Amino acid sequence: MHYTPITSFRRAVSAAHLKPVDPGPTPLPVEAVNKWEVLRELGAARVAFGLSDRDLTVLQALLSFHPGADLAAEAEALVVHPSNRSICERLNGMPCSTMRRHLGHLVAAGLLRRKDSPNGKRYARRYGDEKIAFGFDLTPLVQRFAEICAEAEAARAAAEAHRRLRESVSLMRRDLVGLVTYGAEIRPDLSLWDRLSDLATLTGRDLRRKLSLEDLGDLAAVLETALRDARDVLDPPVTEDLSSNDIQNEQHYQNSNTDPHDLELRLEKRKAEVECARMSDDPQSGTGETDTELTEPPSCNLPLGLVLASCPEIQSYAPDRIRHWHEFVRIAETLRPMMGISPSAWHAARDSMGPEQAAVVLAAMLERASEIRSPGGYLRSLTMKAAAGQFSCGPMIMSLTRKAAA
């Protein structure tokens, strides 16, 4: 039997033998992608790809071995070949076994590709103008960049929706606390306030935890029902036969003279800002928006009696006692130019807060007229908070109530 000498075998090895089998050209985007932008977008979308923060830390270390800031559209230029020791050094001494586990997560997620050499080592060689590199291929990051960006935007949108809903639940809870405090003072005989107070306390405890979007939605529905129950007790339907007693005693009036006009007014009060805007006698009070808006501004969670008791100054501008929300809104619109608030600022407030809340804010500003230097600027500031879901008129009214009781 004839054996080939080892020296002859070594001479037969050439660049052609070292070059791996090419399955075909890998399509890459024409434009290069900034590697740090990829990492930033992947950080926002890491849950969608099943990655942890430690996985991204290892990926960041790998990207630091790539020269330049852009991942160029050249297949061989996207292969980095650091040793395990070098990677661990850039990870501040992370154990090699831990580092390899996180690398495995990145490969399993399809964001890295192993390109192994015949002997399993990572290195790069040049043969004339041709470069051959073995290590970790970053090509998937470039190929999936559009997908990563889409997942990142979806994650940010979900986080924003979660933040807004959580803020809304927090504001509803604060409104409920204010209504319970007010209701316990004028109707201490009702057991309703104990139940609503317990609900507000339990909601505050729940908000200390990290709640899901579904849990927050359930809380919002429960709080909305509780607020409606409180408003029904504190601000029941009334008619034109109201006695001359103090506004806080209006809830004791018994409706014995109902007519179709009174029924219409009650329906208007239940439908909040939509009906208030429709019933307004001022043709310029509309917002200019169509009925096809996707979202509507929230209505006021406070009873009218509480608002008038906390802001008595607005009553002096009304020819008769204010008994309904649409009357309250109309008086506020009359006050608006007297307070130096422009039509655009008022319309923006109505769009974001709803007519009722905007009118309540105006009444509260009237009570603090000496403290507010620029009413228009102050209203615009509150309008921006309302547009971001971070405003409720409840704390303003309860602050005036405490101030009057002091």
Side-chain angles (χ1 to χ4, degrees):
M1 180 180 292
H2 177 73
Y3 293 92
T4 303
I6 295 179
T7 53
S8 301
F9 174 77
R10 287 178 178 172
R11 291 192 192 99
V13 175
S14 64
H17 290 83
L18 291 176
K19 188 173 181 179
V21 177
D22 189 359
T26 303
L28 289 172
V30 177
E31 297 182 359
V33 176
N34 186 279
K35 62 184 182 182
W36 304 125
E37 185 177 355
V38 176
L39 185 66
R40 182 169 56 252
E41 294 297 295
L42 193 56
R46 65 182 179 86
V47 176
F49 290 92
L51 300 177
S52 67
D53 53 347
R54 299 292 295 274
D55 295 334
L56 294 180
T57 301
V58 173
L59 179 60
Q60 181 179 7
L62 277 183
L63 289 174
S64 67
F65 288 100
H66 182 274
D70 294 331
L71 300 179
E74 298 178 7
E76 295 298 334
L78 294 177
V79 178
V80 293
H81 41 82
S83 64
N84 288 346
R85 180 179 179 180
S86 299
I87 299 175
C88 291
E89 285 178 353
R90 296 201 181 184
L91 290 171
N92 300 317
M94 177 184 287
C96 188
S97 58
T98 303
M99 182 271 297
R100 289 199 302 268
R101 184 173 67 253
H102 292 301
L103 282 176
H105 294 166
L106 293 168
V107 173
L111 299 171
L112 280 184
R113 189 180 300 151
R114 295 183 186 273
K115 189 175 182 181
D116 296 328
S117 65
N119 60 4
K121 300 292 183 180
R122 303 177 199 138
Y123 60 88
R125 292 286 187 271
R126 282 195 175 276
Y127 300 95
D129 295 334
E130 186 178 6
K131 178 183 177 181
I132 299 177
F134 301 97
F136 296 103
D137 189 359
L138 305 177
T139 299
L141 295 177
V142 183
Q143 293 173 326
R144 304 182 67 181
F145 180 61
E147 177 189 352
I148 293 172
C149 291
E151 292 290 352
E153 286 302 315
R156 292 190 183 101
E160 179 64 15
H162 186 279
R163 184 194 66 79
R164 284 175 175 267
L165 184 55
R166 187 181 183 87
E167 185 71 23
S168 176
V169 169
S170 179
L171 291 174
M172 292 170 68
R173 175 189 168 275
R174 291 170 62 183
D175 289 347
L176 183 62
V177 171
L179 290 180
V180 168
T181 303
Y182 175 69
E185 291 178 357
I186 65 172
R187 294 294 305 275
D189 56 304
L190 298 179
S191 60
L192 171 68
W193 312 122
D194 292 334
R195 178 174 63 84
L196 297 186
S197 178
D198 291 342
L199 174 61
T201 302
L202 293 175
T203 302
R205 292 178 183 175
D206 289 338
L207 289 176
R208 297 174 189 170
R209 300 184 290 110
K210 187 174 181 180
L211 301 176
S212 65
L213 198 63
E214 292 76 15
D215 292 337
L216 287 173
D218 294 340
L219 270 181
V222 172
L223 289 175
E224 181 61 35
T225 302
L227 288 169
R228 184 169 58 251
D229 293 343
R231 291 195 300 270
D232 289 344
V233 172
L234 296 174
D235 199 18
V238 295
T239 68
E240 299 300 329
D241 292 338
L242 286 173
S243 65
S244 58
N245 294 335
D246 187 80
I247 294 174
Q248 293 183 358
N249 295 326
E250 289 184 1
Q251 67 273 10
H252 297 294
Y253 177 79
Q254 295 182 354
N255 182 5
S256 61
N257 194 12
T258 304
D259 58 46
H261 180 65
D262 293 329
L263 293 175
E264 183 181 359
L265 292 178
R266 290 179 216 163
L267 291 174
E268 291 166 4
K269 185 160 59 175
R270 296 299 182 198
K271 292 183 180 179
E273 79 286 353
V274 177
E275 291 298 319
C276 286
R278 183 177 66 83
M279 291 296 295
S280 176
D281 293 338
D282 185 357
Q284 295 181 349
S285 64
T287 62
E289 300 292 335
T290 64
D291 293 335
T292 58
E293 288 181 301
L294 295 179
T295 59
E296 295 181 352
S299 60
C300 184
N301 286 326
L302 302 176
L304 181 58
L306 173 59
V307 174
L308 291 173
S310 303
C311 308
E313 190 67 23
I314 193 174
Q315 181 65 62
S316 61
Y317 293 89
D320 300 309
R321 171 168 292 184
I322 300 175
R323 296 184 175 92
H324 306 289
W325 275 111
H326 74 280
E327 298 174 348
F328 185 82
V329 173
R330 185 159 54 245
I331 298 301
E333 290 174 341
T334 304
L335 283 174
R336 188 266 307 164
M338 303 180 190
M339 298 176 65
I341 297 174
S342 65
S344 61
W346 174 245
H347 292 162
R350 287 175 57 109
D351 290 345
S352 298
M353 303 178 187
E356 291 181 357
Q357 276 210 95
V360 171
V361 170
L362 216 67
M365 291 171 59
L366 184 63
E367 295 294 322
R368 300 173 50 202
S370 59
E371 305 173 18
I372 301 175
R373 295 183 179 180
S374 175
Y378 184 70
L379 182 61
R380 287 188 183 277
S381 175
L382 297 181
T383 299
M384 292 176 62
K385 290 184 178 181
Q390 299 174 349
F391 174 77
S392 171
C393 62
M396 296 181 69
I397 297 302
M398 298 313 301
S399 176
L400 291 173
T401 302
R402 289 191 296 268
K403 184 177 179 181

